[in-house]
Amino acid sequence: LHDTRLFFHDLNCKVNYHINDKNRLYLSGYSGKDTYANKEYAGMVFGNRTFTLRWNHIFNNNLFSNFTLVNSHYFYELGTPEDSEEYFNWQSNLDDYGFKGDFTWFLNPDHTVRFGLSGTYHIIKPGDILGSSIGGVDQSLMLPYNYSLENGLYVSGESKLGEDFAIRYGLRYSLFNNIGPGTVYNYNDNYQVLDSTEYENGDFYNFFHALEPRVSANYRLSENSSVKASYSRTVQYLQLATNSTAGTPLEIWFNASPNVEPQLSDQVSAGYFRDFMEHKFQTSLELYYKKMNHSIDFKDHAQLILNPMLDGEIRVGEATSYGAELFLRYEDRKLAGWISYTLSKTMRDIPEINDGVPYPVPYDKPNDLAIVLNYALTPRIEIAANWIYSTGLPFTLPSGRYEVWGNVLPLYTGRNEYRLPDYHRLDLSFTFKGKEKPGKRWRGEWNISVYNAYARKNVWTLNFVQDESQPDVNYAEMSYLFTIVPAITYNFKF
């Protein structure tokens, strides 16, 4: 391991203003940033800033509304050290400006209707780069921004049909437009550029729309047990693709376009729920199956950074995801906790990737386990423990190498054929609450915690590095972010 550092911060704030009995304002904001720095190889920065203003209005006892303005700014930066021989810094942004109007109408105690509309203006900065090549020649490149507008209308309902049966249902109509300025490249069957079409500023040059129905039903079998089933269809216009062969987890955001259709998924699920010991012990078992059409991934050896023809690097197919989720929860006067376990599998089937053989997606985790316990030693003192475990993420590793014009290049095997080591860690905490006194508005508590208590070195990424003393030899180098992280926190309310 080389000198690697990690910095992060999170800031939340929220203000509520009671105008009168029928109007309230809610203002909230968030800022977070994570910085990974390695003095020899690369650094990465990513984070998000959001702002939300919501107006809650009550028309009468049966009808109320929420009108919301939202702005978010996601940023991603990747680069090499400034003093390196070939320095570069790549930056990408995603900005959203949105509006939502939501209405809730209580027809009667057994029937509730919700309806509304939304609109989001997306601005994607695919990337710009500043760097210097050998010899100290400064270079800079910038890709044009991508603009799009996503709108939606929805109506949904909740109904109780008797004492034991409840149903939820809804329908959403979504619309998507690409907006100029922009350039659309036209490809032949071999993804070679034939020509391009230019669109002026403000031109609406592409249109997608879809209906997204959903329904779920719950039936109570007895006082302690029930069953549930659901179906939903969702459409995703904003695309995210990752490159699992990169030394860092590179993510690329882009819009649906004339060359990239929106992703569409259909999911069905069914579950059984049962309580024991006078509802102190709650259990559930759910099964699900999800089919995804127009699933995307990058071709082998794709050029991702500063590529104006990124849609030519994309291949399209299908994906499936299925699994079972088990949940156990116990809550008593002093002891509370829960155990969740998911057994799942998510595969992509894209004919032009991996010789047409289905392969795991980069986020596939067949086993995911979490155990959480909280015990109150006294009314003011609590101890807690949290242990999580998951199967290592899929990864594409080189199985050999070959030489081209004196350069040693890796030879990769099947897509996501290998996995990183399994992930697990234990977190511990101790909380001491202040005394509660009648009329006292200030309440505070101290929390002492230890993240990753047994110093597990969970792999963040693998890099294959050429041995300086033996140029024809490569070795795998593991990077992990941190081991034990102690913290002292003071929380207060007033």
Side-chain angles (χ1 to χ4, degrees), residues 161-212:
L161 306 178
E163 294 293 328
D164 300 323
F165 187 70
I167 184 171
R168 295 184 178 182
Y169 41 89
L171 181 65
R172 183 174 185 267
Y173 178 62
S174 58
L175 308 92
F176 179 87
N177 286 100
N178 293 104
I179 304 176
T183 302
V184 175
Y185 295 93
N186 303 310
Y187 303 91
N188 62 17
D189 293 339
N190 295 318
Y191 298 94
Q192 297 172 326
V193 177
L194 297 175
D195 54 32
S196 63
T197 305
E198 299 287 338
Y199 294 93
E200 299 296 328
N201 185 31
D203 287 348
F204 283 69
Y205 62 87
N206 188 47
F207 175 70
F208 290 113
H209 65 106
L211 287 173
E212 303 174 53

Side-chain angles (χ1 to χ4, degrees), residues 76-291:
Y76 192 102
E77 182 178 336
L78 184 67
T80 58
E82 293 187 17
D83 57 354
S84 60
E85 189 175 20
E86 292 187 342
Y87 161 73
F88 84 93
N89 180 262
W90 171 75
Q91 296 178 345
S92 178
N93 296 337
L94 169 60
D95 288 277
D96 284 345
Y97 299 88
F99 166 80
K100 295 192 299 179
D102 301 297
F103 297 84
T104 301
W105 182 20
F106 296 101
L107 291 174
N108 55 56
D110 293 332
H111 301 279
T112 301
V113 176
R114 292 181 171 87
F115 56 95
L117 73 166
S118 64
T120 303
Y121 182 51
H122 302 294
I123 304 176
I124 298 179
K125 175 184 174 183
D128 57 35
I129 191 169
L130 174 66
S132 62
S133 60
I134 297 177
V137 179
D138 291 335
Q139 297 177 338
S140 62
L141 295 169
M142 183 176 69
L143 293 181
Y145 285 28
N146 295 323
Y147 304 90
S148 61
L149 182 64
E150 183 177 348
N151 297 304
L153 300 167
Y154 78 91
V155 60
S156 64
E158 302 175 15
S159 298
K160 295 180 181 179
L161 306 178
E163 294 293 328
D164 300 323
F165 187 70
I167 184 171
R168 295 184 178 182
Y169 41 89
L171 181 65
R172 183 174 185 267
Y173 178 62
S174 58
L175 308 92
F176 179 87
N177 286 100
N178 293 104
I179 304 176
T183 302
V184 175
Y185 295 93
N186 303 310
Y187 303 91
N188 62 17
D189 293 339
N190 295 318
Y191 298 94
Q192 297 172 326
V193 177
L194 297 175
D195 54 32
S196 63
T197 305
E198 299 287 338
Y199 294 93
E200 299 296 328
N201 185 31
D203 287 348
F204 283 69
Y205 62 87
N206 188 47
F207 175 70
F208 290 113
H209 65 106
L211 287 173
E212 303 174 53
R214 62 190 60 195
V215 61
S216 65
N218 186 82
Y219 182 71
R220 188 174 65 172
L221 299 173
S222 68
E223 182 67 26
N224 297 316
S225 63
S226 63
V227 291
K228 179 182 177 181
S230 67
Y231 162 78
S232 65
R233 165 169 285 194
T234 56
V235 177
Q236 181 175 324
Y237 298 103
L238 205 60
Q239 314 287 356
L240 172 65
T242 60
N243 180 22
S244 60
T245 64
T248 57
L250 181 64
E251 297 180 341
I252 304 292
W253 288 92
F254 53 94
N255 291 316
S257 68
N259 292 317
V260 182
E261 293 189 64
Q263 298 187 66
L264 183 150
S265 70
D266 292 281
Q267 179 171 311
V268 294
S269 64
Y272 176 71
F273 304 80
R274 184 172 178 83
D275 295 348
F276 299 91
M277 300 172 60
E278 299 180 344
H279 304 291
K280 292 181 180 180
F281 195 63
Q282 303 168 3
T283 65
S284 66
L285 174 63
E286 293 189 78
L287 306 176
Y288 71 91
Y289 177 85
K290 186 176 184 179
K291 180 66 177 293

Side-chain angles (χ1 to χ4, degrees), residues 295 316-320 347-353 356-359:
S295 182
V316 181
E318 298 179 345
T320 56
M347 303 287 288
R348 282 197 183 120
D349 186 357
I350 301 179
E352 296 170 281
I353 294 179
V357 178
Y359 59 93

Side-chain angles (χ1 to χ4, degrees), residues 20 44 152 157 211 222 243 296 309 325 350 363 371 400 462 473:
N20 53 46
M44 185 175 69
L211 287 173
S222 68
N243 180 22
I296 62 172
M309 294 168 283
E325 298 178 348
I350 301 179
Y363 52 85
I371 302 175
L462 289 176
V473 175

Side-chain angles (χ1 to χ4, degrees), residues 377-396:
L377 294 172
T378 71
R380 295 174 55 197
I381 300 175
E382 293 181 356
I383 57 174
N386 171 37
W387 186 75
I388 61 174
Y389 165 86
S390 63
T391 307
L393 294 173
F395 211 72
T396 304

